[in-house]
């Protein structure tokens, strides 16, 4: 996810730095023969980098607790000392973390701890979760800004660098592209999972936006009678109540998973919840309510695509 083409190890060949859904950043080194197999980027102690949750390839299961899951990585010389540091983006809360490189590009020595990137006294957090930070000089002032898309809520946001070279500081988010809500019956714009690339597409000297993502909309909408409108309100209330109860089950499972010491114990926790009669009744009701709502509100649809936005 979020591939970045950069000479990461300063050997004259372009490499690929990327996050993946396993929760750690990867590197595919370039050479005369092409790109090599992707491998984990390791910290200064030889361990794979992560936030808190990650996929264990040996146990073939998710490990860790806290719900922070790294899906994006970006190489950037944060402190302007001539080598690449790493920014790691979190999937669920949209947080951003820094791993400083205390070595060189040829021989990196990355910190073993994550440093949280802040916006003043508040954490850097992208609404709806982060999909991909892009490091660009959006306003042409010589400082590197951050442009990123939102995951579950969509939209594209600019975080201006108001600091100085080697000491970045970022201002609160400015929406460059709001989540599309004006035409819910057509796939005219991305509304979730927005991955961004900033480039001068039309060659006029400023940065435009290429945005990949999903358009979500409802089809087959109908005019509702007063009785039908009342039924929709009742169903929406039921949906909220059922969802809250399911979330309570999920929270209880997460608490048990965090205490489980082995992959076998974690699988047992999941199996126990799925076999729970009340949980099954709740999920069945949630499905039935959603299907009835769909008859009144239209069928939910989704389409993937890439959209171009020319900067004026």
């Amino acid at each position: 996810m979020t591939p970045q083409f950069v000479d990461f190890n300063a050997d004259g060949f372009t490499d690929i730095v990327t996050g993946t859904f396993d929760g750690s950043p990867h590197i595919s080194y370039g050479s005369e023969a092409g790109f090599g197999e992707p491998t984990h980027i390791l910290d200064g102690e030889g361990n794979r980098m992560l936030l808190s949750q990650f996929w264990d390839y040996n146990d073939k299961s998710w490990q860790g607790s806290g719900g922070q899951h790294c899906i994006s990585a970006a190489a950037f010389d944060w402190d302007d000392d001539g080598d690449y540091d790493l920014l790691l983006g979190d999937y669920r809360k949209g947080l951003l973390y820094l791993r400083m490189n205390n070595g060189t590009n040829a021989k990196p020595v990355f910190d073993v701890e994550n440093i949280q990137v802040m916006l003043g006294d508040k954490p850097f957090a992208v609404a709806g979760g982060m999909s991909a930070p892009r490091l660009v000089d959006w306003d042409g002032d010589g400082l590197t800004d951050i442009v990123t898309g939102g995951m579950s809520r969509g939209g594209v946001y600019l975080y201006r660098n108001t600091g100085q070279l080697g000491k970045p500081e970022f201002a609160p988010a400015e929406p460059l592209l709001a989540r599309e809500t004006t035409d819910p019956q057509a796939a005219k714009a991305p509304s979730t999972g927005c991955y961004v690339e900033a480039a001068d597409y039309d060659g006029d000297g400023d940065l435009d936006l290429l945005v990949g993502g999903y358009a979500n909309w409802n089809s087959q909408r109908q005019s509702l009678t007063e009785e039908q409108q009342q039924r929709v309100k009742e169903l929406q209330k039921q949906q909220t109540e059922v969802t809250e109860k399911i979330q309570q089950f999920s929270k209880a499972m997460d608490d048990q998973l965090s205490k489980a010491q082995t992959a076998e114990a974690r699988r047992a926790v999941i199996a126990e919840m799925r076999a729970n009669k009340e949980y099954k009744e709740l999920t069945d009701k949630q499905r039935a309510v959603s299907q009835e709502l769909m008859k009144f509100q239209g069928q939910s649809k989704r389409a993937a695509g890439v959209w171009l936005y020319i900067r004026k």
Side-chain angles (χ1 to χ4, degrees), residues 238-249:
Q238 292 179 30
Q239 189 177 55
T240 299
E241 293 172 349
V242 170
T243 300
E244 289 176 351
K245 291 179 180 179
I246 290 176
Q247 288 175 343
Q248 291 174 8
F249 271 96

Side-chain angles (χ1 to χ4, degrees), residues 40-265:
H40 285 122
I41 301 176
L42 305 180
D43 65 24
E45 295 182 354
N47 300 312
R48 62 183 281 193
M49 297 186 199
L50 53 95
L51 299 182
S52 66
Q53 188 180 32
F54 65 99
W55 178 257
D56 189 315
Y57 287 91
N58 294 321
D59 283 349
K60 298 187 184 305
S61 63
W62 290 104
Q63 303 280 353
S65 59
Q68 293 191 45
H69 186 182
C70 172
I71 63 164
S72 63
F76 171 55
D77 188 0
W78 181 271
D79 53 2
D80 193 39
D81 65 350
D83 57 52
Y84 286 118
D85 309 296
L86 277 175
L87 287 169
L88 307 179
D90 168 54
Y91 171 62
R92 290 182 176 84
K93 297 182 179 180
L95 303 174
L96 190 63
Y97 293 89
L98 174 67
R99 288 287 186 113
M100 298 298 297
N101 182 0
N102 301 306
T104 64
N105 284 334
K107 293 183 179 181
V109 181
F110 290 104
D111 281 347
V112 298
E113 298 292 337
N114 298 307
I115 301 172
Q116 188 167 33
V117 178
M118 305 292 289
L119 299 177
D121 59 352
K122 297 181 179 179
F124 186 110
V126 180
M130 180 183 297
S131 57
R134 286 308 195 206
L135 287 299
V136 296
D137 185 0
W138 180 260
D139 50 15
D141 65 353
L143 297 175
T144 302
D145 310 302
I146 293 178
V147 174
T148 184
M151 179 59 71
S152 63
R153 295 186 187 177
V156 176
Y157 307 94
L158 166 66
Y159 296 83
R160 293 184 191 272
N161 187 347
T162 59
Q164 57 186 346
L165 200 62
K167 294 182 178 180
E169 294 180 9
F170 295 98
E174 300 176 35
L176 296 178
L177 176 66
R179 181 180 180 183
E180 179 62 34
T181 58
T182 56
D183 190 351
Q185 293 184 304
K188 290 188 176 181
S191 52
T192 59
C194 293
Y195 287 85
V196 184
E197 192 62 67
D200 187 2
Y201 189 87
D202 54 2
D204 66 350
D206 59 30
L207 294 174
D208 309 300
L209 292 177
L210 286 161
V211 183
Y214 294 104
N216 300 273
W217 77 100
N218 290 321
S219 65
Q220 301 173 353
R221 284 184 177 273
Q222 59 175 303
S223 297
L224 302 180
T225 65
E226 187 174 336
E227 183 180 354
Q228 289 173 327
Q229 291 176 18
Q230 183 60 38
R231 179 56 179 164
V232 167
K233 290 181 181 179
E234 293 173 358
L235 289 169
Q236 289 174 334
K237 182 180 179 181
Q238 292 179 30
Q239 189 177 55
T240 299
E241 293 172 349
V242 170
T243 300
E244 289 176 351
K245 291 179 180 179
I246 290 176
Q247 288 175 343
Q248 291 174 8
F249 271 96
S250 297
K251 185 180 183 302
M253 185 187 72
D254 288 341
D255 292 341
Q256 293 182 57
L257 287 173
S258 66
K259 298 174 184 178
Q261 299 297 314
T262 65
E264 183 178 356

